[in-house]
Amino acid sequence: MAESPKPAKVATFGVRFESYDDFLVEYTDNLRRGFLMLPGVRNLEPEQAVRIKLSLPNRAILYLSGAVSDAGADAGKGTLVKLGAFTGEQEKILGMCVNSVLVDPVPAAVETVPARPLSILLVDDSPSVRTELGAALRARGLLVSTADNGLLAMSAALKQEPDLVLTDVEMPEMDGWTLLRMARSRKKLAHIPIVFLTALSDDMSRLQGYRMGVDDYLPKTLPPDEILARIQGVLARRSSAPSTAVESRGLRGDLHHVRLSSVLAFLEAEKKTGDLRLDNGDDNAVLRIINGALHDVKNLGRWKHPHERVFELLSWTSGQFELFALPGGEFEFSTKEPVSVTHLLMEHARREDEAAEAARRKS
């Protein structure tokens, strides 16, 4: 149920879905069209500004704003609010919640657990970052504890596990890289999402972080609302992943941070074997890599030849990648001759050069 508005210039509410079924009904009725029903609210004026803290059944929280559209909706039992446009991250979080309903519903016993504020451990040697970012996240409903280096952060996490660690990389005594390595090597902390609060400048540095188990990279210049949305996205991805997938998961990351060409070059150099799963929200594919070479492609899309599909995938600028081990060494759909990744990357670069030259001549 919606809470009573707090006394402020903008009416503020908290709306929480106790179950995935309640969410699905509201999503199909209103949310997918950019609206939200405030049940039991009847004292708002038309066009009045509204701010809403929306708690989803997968524990994600969205902070939304909008204006009253219909103060007498639901036969006078509630108020319909026209929401502002969702950000890309908010759309992704809502989509994950819908997929949870359709693919892997959460048991009722889990759904009824009361939502609690997310706990974040903020690690940074800068007092101003700890103070200002910590205050901004607390104002958005998070429980924030702080540490000024990785050593103190390890101690704090062992005493009380946070939902997520948000850490700087360059710090005295123990830096973010060491904190990440030590956390991933301890059974008690290995499952905790870790986000680097930094902007590493090259693919190889970011790929190294993904190899070690970092979940995301956030530049310190991001607005607090965007940092919160990205944190929620990391937690939503973690909660929606099957436990067996988490156990077998290897290299994973975001193609916005590391290009697919760099990922494939690394797999070839390290002679890795596994299924590289790619998903940008609208399309997905699986590349079967054996000893660093491409053996097959699952889901060719509009292409007939696997190599053409790979060239299309190399043009992706966003999406998720994840390398999964092949269970028992069984190669279910690997039936084609292997091809060198270097050969594919060189051919892709040649085609891009030709396309750029043709465009230059036209102009």
Side-chain angles (χ1 to χ4, degrees):
M1 290 294 292
E3 300 169 0
S4 299
K6 301 175 183 178
K9 292 182 180 179
V10 178
T12 303
F13 297 87
V15 177
R16 184 174 66 202
F17 293 108
E18 299 290 351
S19 72
Y20 279 89
D21 288 348
D22 292 340
F23 166 77
L24 183 61
V25 170
E26 181 63 17
Y27 180 82
T28 55
D29 286 351
N30 296 309
L31 274 172
R32 66 189 179 91
R33 300 185 296 112
F35 290 86
L36 180 66
M37 176 66 71
L38 300 178
V41 177
R42 298 182 293 275
N43 59 342
L44 300 182
E45 299 294 326
E47 302 300 323
Q48 182 174 352
V50 176
R51 189 172 296 147
I52 300 168
K53 177 183 176 181
L54 184 64
S55 299
L56 300 176
N58 63 357
R59 293 178 55 198
I61 296 176
L62 300 182
Y63 290 85
L64 308 173
S65 59
V68 173
S69 173
D70 184 355
D74 194 18
K77 296 179 182 179
T79 294
L80 191 66
V81 174
K82 170 65 175 175
L83 302 172
F86 296 126
T87 66
E89 194 67 30
Q90 289 171 339
E91 290 274 13
K92 184 183 295 184
I93 292 171
L94 286 171
M96 288 178 177
C97 211
V98 173
N99 287 338
S100 295
V101 178
L102 301 177
V103 179
D104 189 19
V106 176
V110 176
E111 292 176 355
T112 57
V113 174
R116 62 173 179 81
L118 296 174
S119 61
I120 305 297
L121 176 57
L122 174 61
V123 191
D124 201 297
D125 61 324
S126 168
S128 62
V129 171
R130 296 197 304 272
T131 300
E132 295 171 12
L133 180 55
L137 294 177
R138 290 187 189 99
R140 287 158 175 80
L142 275 63
L143 297 177
V144 181
S145 57
T146 62
D148 57 23
N149 63 60
L151 188 62
L152 295 177
M154 277 292 299
S155 176
L158 288 169
K159 291 176 185 175
Q160 185 170 358
E161 294 179 27
D163 291 315
L164 180 142
V165 175
L166 183 61
T167 180
D168 189 16
V169 173
E170 300 296 331
M171 296 179 292
E173 294 194 54
M174 183 190 290
D175 61 15
W177 294 107
T178 307
L179 171 60
L180 175 64
R181 186 177 68 251
M182 291 184 67
R184 291 292 176 251
S185 67
R186 282 163 171 75
K187 186 175 182 179
K188 184 176 180 180
L189 304 179
H191 66 283
I192 297 175
I194 297 179
V195 174
F196 274 173
L197 194 60
T198 185
L200 297 176
S201 59
D202 62 278
D203 279 4
M204 288 300 104
S205 295
R206 289 189 286 263
L207 191 57
Q208 173 66 11
Y210 283 135
R211 285 182 64 191
M212 295 173 63
V214 77
D215 287 88
D216 203 353
Y217 294 92
L218 303 182
K220 293 183 180 181
T221 54
L222 276 183
D225 283 337
E226 183 66 17
I227 289 178
L228 177 59
R230 295 279 289 275
I231 286 173
Q232 291 169 341
V234 168
L235 291 169
R237 288 194 295 272
R238 278 295 189 103
S239 65
S240 64
S243 58
T244 53
V246 173
E247 292 171 1
S248 62
R249 181 170 53 197
L251 181 70
R252 69 188 186 281
D254 195 318
L255 293 173
H256 177 71
H257 297 138
V258 181
R259 293 167 298 178
L260 179 57
S261 57
S262 297
V263 176
L264 291 175
F266 164 76
L267 296 179
E268 182 179 54
E270 297 288 323
K271 297 188 180 301
K272 295 289 186 180
T273 294
D275 281 343
L276 183 65
R277 303 184 187 181
L278 308 169
D279 192 329
N280 68 2
D282 298 319
D283 193 5
N284 63 82
V286 179
L287 307 186
R288 174 143 291 176
I289 307 294
I290 300 176
N291 294 326
L294 177 72
H295 274 243
D296 210 344
V297 179
K298 190 173 184 180
N299 186 9
L300 294 178
R302 61 192 177 95
W303 303 101
K304 294 183 179 180
H305 198 284
H307 296 182
E308 297 298 332
R309 176 59 160 161
V310 172
F311 297 146
E312 179 184 39
L313 296 170
L314 285 167
S315 68
W316 284 11
T317 57
S318 64
Q320 302 294 317
F321 67 86
E322 198 159 357
L323 182 68
F324 289 83
L326 297 174
E330 296 178 4
F331 305 152
E332 297 176 1
F333 66 93
S334 180
T335 59
K336 300 178 176 61
E337 288 296 320
V339 61
S340 161
V341 165
T342 297
H343 169 76
L344 290 171
L345 296 181
M346 291 180 65
E347 176 61 17
H348 181 250
R350 183 188 68 78
R351 293 185 179 200
E352 284 194 323
D353 289 343
E354 288 183 352
E357 179 63 19
R360 186 189 66 78
R361 288 177 178 176
K362 281 187 177 180
S363 61

